[in-house]
Amino acid sequence: MPSDKESPETKPLNNNITNGNGGCAPSKPKIQPKYSIHRDVLTHEVVIKQTGYAARDKSIPSSLRNCWQSWNFFALFTGVIPILQWLPQYSPRRDLPGDIIAGFTVAIMNIPHGMAYGILAGVSAGNGLYMAVFPVLAYMFLGTSKHISIGTFAVASMMTAKVVDTYANVDDHHHVLPVGGSGLMSNGTPKASPLLLLNSSALADSISSTTISPIQLLNSTLNADHITKIEVATSLALTVGIVNLLMAFLRLGTLSSLLSEPLVNGFTTAAACHVVTAQLKDVLGISVPRHKGAFKIIYTIIDVIKGVPQTNLVNFGFCMAVIAFMMICNEILKPRLSKKCRFPLPAELIMVIGGTLISKWFNLYDDYNVNPVGKIPSGLPEPVLPRLDLVPKVAVDSIAIAIVTYSIIMSMGLTFAKKHGYEVRPNQELFAMGIGNMVGGCFSCIPMACSLSRSVIQDQTGGVSQIASLVSASLVVVTLMWIGPFFSSLPRCVLAGVIIVALKPMFMQAKELKKFSKQGKLEMFTWISTFLCVVVIDIDIGLLIGICISLLALYIKGLKPYSCLLGYMPEAPGIYMDLNQHRNAMQIPEVRIFRYSGSLNFATSLFFRRALFEAVGLDKIPLTKPSSSNSNSPSKGSKSSYSPVSQNGGKAINGRLEETSGAFKVLVLDFSMLGHIDVAGCRTLTDLSKELKVRGARLLLASPVDRVYDTLVHSMALSEGPFEIFPTLHDCVEYANACRTA
């Protein structure tokens, strides 16, 4: 007999909440409900007393006492190590098969991606493979997302390559590299390696082109501080980890929300252009000097165009064949096979293995000068502490990389968390990234990120937890231990083709520009400016400009909050709508209802006054109080207390619409949408109340939230106000009508 209670073995770990056909659809009542309320008009002070409201104690002793009372060591410990929370709920019989399949599939993708993005970052292919092991294991214990695939990412690799090219002067085989790819010293004089300087012809050329003696030139070269590429990369990973930990300690997990969607979209699309440009030399099989600083992509394209006549046709043809094969697999074969098989077609791995075999069989390096990826050591690297003296040098660049990688991981994590119904904690993600980067830096890794394609595949193939990452890391370890040296003869053009095809989704993001243009001009301007600055100038400078523009757009939107005049519905008194948007709304005579949303503080007080004065025409009201015999004022016994208005504020008199004179006796401020007010905002309300008294009108405040009410009461204790406050807008309007007709 089946049990009514669901077994934990049958309950999915992701705790999905789906609305199937069997769900109860919301039904409408057969009879339209009505309500009628008869009570006295209440002030906010009366409501506060009757409900027993007490303002929250914000003192330091109270905060410390509340913090100590809520302290739970076990909850804190499991919060820092999230695997202790979800692992007890893990069911091997239910969840392990999907994790094994997903881990195996992701490992197949990790091998070509790790090699390709390792070379893209300026280090070896083996360093890219290490990224699929050490940071992954650290994130498995400390991360809160169950589906993202930690490892290499094109944008992070490209930003790492910029830092590596800037500070590395020796490659990993300790051959002196020309500074900036131009063979010049920092002072502009030519610089050669010690081995070349021992050659008489090279020495003679150096002597003839420099103003210093040959012995001084040789000594300065030999005594220079040699910095290898891997040393820069590992020091950068360590520094990025330190930045992540500082952000977690300072509770800056919400920092990613400052990176708006148009900013991230435009930045990643532009970064993809840099990645493709960096692959052009491997596609054509030519040598192109690396450029640093602003406008480097333009200089690189110029050098590539100049080097087109020296194109290695075998290299170029091989790369085009790889791109064609990958496109056919991704666009035709994979969609068809996905309907019949759970495993996706491993096109990248097929191409890597096939390219390696073709290179060995046809001896492409010796006979056709097709450059291979180079030596991939077998086994795992020994833990080595990165060079701490390089940390200050790469500190500035590490901040940009930390923010970008965190925003990518958080956006992917939130996407899968929303899909599967669990929580991703931003500050814990920062902590996991910090530990992962620091561990990776000790094991020859570059800064970590996550991949969109691998994460999607991990989810689609049935992965339900980070156990899939453990399976993937184990298979990559097997590859490093016994299969790694096999890929040493893999042509670099194969990896270039794999990278270019993998960047297609990032280029397709350009279609989102149409959506951003519909959202607003600021969103479209943010995307275009970020894209152009990153492409034309540089990645880090363009990102900084994009962030500034995004924050400026946010400031402009916050500086001009929504405000309007309200009128009531004749068929339903008590409902108040925007007069500019609702043509049939009616305005109460001698009463103006002004709604203001957002915040009222020192930064927005001037806009508040300007918007209010323009809406109610306060500057047009005479300073003397209106006479009681004014013909425009309704008599005390007048039964008609409301009059219809047109869209532009005209009043219906004797069946004809005429413009209102702007005079009123009561100004009601609807603060139901006001989220914050400071002392400067309260002072603005005090000045407004004094101006209204001079003009024979009074100020009423309606519907403030508790925190706004607390600030208003606190300001009145500081000689601001006094303010007449009401709990609802309808209470305030009825009180205004009573005062007007009294």
Side-chain angles (χ1 to χ4, degrees):
M1 182 176 179
S3 174
D4 294 335
K5 191 173 182 179
E6 186 180 18
S7 172
E9 290 290 329
T10 60
K11 184 179 179 181
L13 183 64
N14 290 330
N15 195 22
N16 291 346
I17 301 174
T18 58
N19 295 325
N21 295 329
C24 297
S27 59
K28 295 183 179 180
K30 296 181 180 180
I31 302 177
Q32 185 67 25
K34 299 181 180 180
Y35 71 92
S36 177
I37 300 176
H38 298 279
R39 62 171 174 81
D40 295 335
V41 173
L42 301 178
T43 63
H44 208 294
E45 184 179 0
V46 174
V47 173
I48 288 298
K49 291 180 179 180
Q50 292 182 354
T51 57
Y53 172 76
R56 184 172 62 91
D57 190 358
K58 301 179 182 179
S59 62
I60 296 179
S62 176
S63 301
L64 294 177
R65 183 171 58 255
N66 294 333
C67 181
W68 175 257
Q69 291 176 353
S70 62
W71 182 271
N72 189 329
F73 177 77
F74 180 77
L76 177 64
F77 185 72
T78 56
V80 174
I81 308 178
I83 192 174
L84 299 177
Q85 295 177 344
W86 59 263
L87 189 59
Q89 304 175 9
Y90 189 84
S91 173
R93 183 166 64 89
R94 182 192 65 231
D95 302 323
L96 188 58
D99 280 336
I100 292 177
I101 295 174
F104 182 79
T105 307
V106 171
I108 291 176
M109 299 180 65
N110 254 327
I111 294 173
H113 283 190
M115 298 171 64
Y117 294 140
I119 293 177
L120 177 63
V123 292
S124 67
N127 298 113
L129 291 176
Y130 300 153
M131 290 290 298
V133 180
F134 301 103
V136 171
L137 296 178
Y139 186 85
M140 182 187 71
F141 286 93
L142 303 175
T144 58
S145 177
K146 301 176 183 178
H147 295 85
I148 63 174
S149 176
I150 294 296
T152 54
F153 184 61
V155 176
S157 298
M158 195 67 204
M159 299 180 73
T160 302
K162 173 187 176 298
V163 183
V164 169
D165 294 337
T166 302
Y167 297 105
N169 54 21
V170 179
D171 64 11
D172 295 333
H173 299 287
H174 299 285
H175 294 157
V176 177
L177 300 174
V179 177
S182 60
L184 296 178
M185 292 182 179
S186 58
N187 60 358
T189 58
K191 183 176 182 180
S193 68
L195 296 179
L196 289 177
L197 286 176
L198 295 178
N199 182 277
S200 58
S201 59
L203 183 60
D205 294 338
S206 300
I207 295 173
S208 61
S209 58
T210 57
T211 58
I212 61 177
S213 65
I215 300 299
Q216 292 176 339
L217 180 62
L218 181 60
N219 289 335
S220 63
T221 305
L222 293 176
N223 296 330
D225 184 16
H226 300 310
I227 304 175
T228 63
K229 294 182 177 181
I230 189 61
E231 288 175 343
V232 177
T234 54
S235 298
L236 179 64
L238 176 65
T239 311
V240 171
I242 295 174
V243 173
N244 290 138
L245 290 180
L246 289 176
M247 293 171 64
F249 178 76
L250 297 175
R251 316 297 291 177
L252 298 178
T254 57
L255 186 63
S256 62
S257 60
L258 297 179
L259 302 179
S260 62
E261 185 181 0
L263 169 65
V264 176
N265 193 290
F267 171 75
T268 52
T269 306
C273 297
H274 280 271
V275 175
V276 171
T277 304
Q279 300 305 306
L280 292 179
K281 58 182 179 60
D282 291 329
V283 172
L284 301 177
I286 60 178
S287 297
V288 175
R290 286 183 177 267
H291 297 278
K292 297 183 296 183
F295 311 106
K296 67 177 183 181
I297 190 173
I298 299 176
Y299 297 136
T300 302
I301 294 176
I302 293 175
D303 291 335
V304 169
I305 295 175
K306 292 180 180 179
V308 169
Q310 288 79 37
T311 300
N312 187 328
L313 297 180
V314 176
N315 190 98
F316 178 73
F318 199 178
C319 186
M320 291 296 103
V322 170
I323 294 176
F325 175 79
M326 293 289 298
M327 293 295 293
I328 293 174
C329 290
N330 292 340
E331 303 298 330
I332 301 176
L333 298 181
K334 282 187 178 181
R336 294 183 179 180
L337 291 178
S338 62
K339 300 178 181 179
K340 302 179 180 179
C341 180
R342 190 173 182 179
F343 288 97
L345 180 65
E348 295 90 349
L349 185 63
I350 293 174
M351 206 62 256
V352 168
I353 296 176
T356 304
L357 294 176
I358 293 174
S359 178
K360 289 179 178 291
W361 288 342
F362 293 96
N363 202 14
L364 295 182
Y365 175 62
D366 295 330
D367 296 344
Y368 301 99
N369 198 25
V370 177
N371 293 326
V373 298
K375 182 181 179 181
I376 300 178
S378 60
L380 298 176
E382 297 181 356
V384 177
L385 185 67
R387 289 185 54 172
L388 299 180
D389 60 319
L390 295 179
V391 171
K393 296 182 179 180
V394 301
V396 177
D397 298 284
S398 66
I399 296 175
I401 296 177
I403 294 176
V404 171
T405 53
Y406 170 66
S407 63
I408 293 171
I409 287 179
M410 272 303 298
S411 61
M412 289 299 301
L414 291 174
T415 300
F416 290 110
K418 182 179 180 180
K419 178 180 179 181
H420 295 284
Y422 61 89
E423 180 186 6
V424 173
R425 292 183 282 128
N427 291 304
Q428 180 62 29
E429 289 295 292
L430 282 171
F431 180 74
M433 290 181 61
I435 299 298
N437 278 315
M438 295 180 72
V439 171
C442 297
F443 287 93
S444 303
C445 294
I446 62 177
M448 60 180 277
C450 74
S451 169
L452 171 63
S453 58
R454 294 196 306 270
S455 301
V456 171
I457 290 297
Q458 180 170 324
D459 177 48
Q460 291 178 349
T461 52
V464 295
S465 71
Q466 286 296 329
I467 298 297
S469 299
L470 177 62
V471 175
S472 173
S474 302
L475 294 176
V476 174
V477 169
V478 172
T479 302
L480 287 168
M481 295 296 292
W482 293 286
I483 311 176
F486 167 76
F487 296 108
S488 298
S489 57
L490 173 66
R492 296 172 66 98
C493 62
V494 173
L495 295 180
V498 170
I499 292 175
I500 292 174
V501 175
L503 292 175
K504 179 189 174 183
M506 298 180 66
F507 284 111
M508 297 302 292
Q509 292 180 144
K511 293 182 178 180
E512 299 292 320
L513 181 59
K514 183 178 180 181
K515 180 187 73 173
F516 296 137
S517 64
K518 294 180 179 179
Q519 292 179 358
K521 296 180 180 179
L522 290 177
E523 284 77 7
M524 183 178 65
F525 178 72
T526 300
W527 194 99
I528 294 176
S529 58
T530 303
F531 177 82
L532 293 178
C533 291
V534 172
V535 170
V536 176
I537 303 177
D538 203 358
I539 291 180
D540 52 355
I541 301 177
L543 176 62
L544 179 61
I545 295 176
I547 291 176
C548 294
I549 294 176
S550 181
L551 294 179
L552 180 61
L554 183 65
Y555 176 75
I556 292 175
K557 292 179 180 179
L559 193 62
K560 293 184 177 181
Y562 171 74
S563 62
C564 65
L565 282 178
L566 300 181
Y568 82 105
M569 292 177 58
E571 299 82 5
I575 299 178
Y576 302 91
M577 312 299 292
D578 186 352
L579 287 173
N580 290 326
Q581 303 294 328
H582 301 269
R583 296 178 179 273
N584 295 329
M586 305 182 76
Q587 183 172 273
I588 305 172
E590 298 182 334
V591 176
R592 298 293 181 268
I593 307 173
F594 182 73
R595 171 173 288 172
Y596 182 81
S597 63
S599 298
L600 180 55
N601 48 45
F602 68 94
T604 60
S605 59
L606 291 179
F607 174 80
F608 170 79
R609 286 181 59 89
R610 188 182 306 114
L612 176 63
F613 275 54
E614 291 178 357
V616 303
L618 189 60
D619 53 345
K620 300 178 182 179
I621 301 177
L623 297 180
T624 58
K625 292 185 179 182
S627 174
S628 58
S629 60
N630 193 341
S631 60
N632 291 332
S633 301
S635 62
K636 295 182 181 181
S638 177
K639 296 182 180 180
S640 177
S641 59
Y642 300 100
S643 59
V645 295
S646 65
Q647 186 178 7
N648 60 3
K651 185 188 298 184
I653 300 178
N654 297 327
R656 297 178 60 186
L657 287 174
E658 299 180 3
E659 295 298 320
T660 58
S661 61
F664 58 89
K665 291 184 177 180
V666 181
L667 174 62
V668 177
L669 297 182
D670 180 16
F671 281 170
S672 59
M673 301 177 67
L674 186 71
H676 174 262
I677 189 172
D678 62 0
V679 178
C682 296
R683 188 175 299 112
T684 301
L685 296 180
T686 302
D687 297 338
L688 177 63
S689 178
K690 294 178 180 179
E691 293 182 29
L692 289 174
K693 287 182 180 180
V694 173
R695 291 172 169 82
R698 63 193 305 176
L699 176 66
L700 303 180
L701 308 181
S703 305
V705 296
D706 288 339
R707 59 182 300 183
V708 173
Y709 177 77
D710 292 340
T711 306
L712 291 172
V713 173
H714 178 70
S715 67
M716 284 190 285
L718 300 177
S719 302
E720 299 294 341
F723 305 118
E724 296 181 89
I725 309 174
F726 295 84
T728 68
L729 178 58
H730 194 55
D731 281 287
C732 192
V733 171
E734 291 298 328
Y735 183 82
N737 283 327
C739 294
R740 179 177 60 84
T741 58

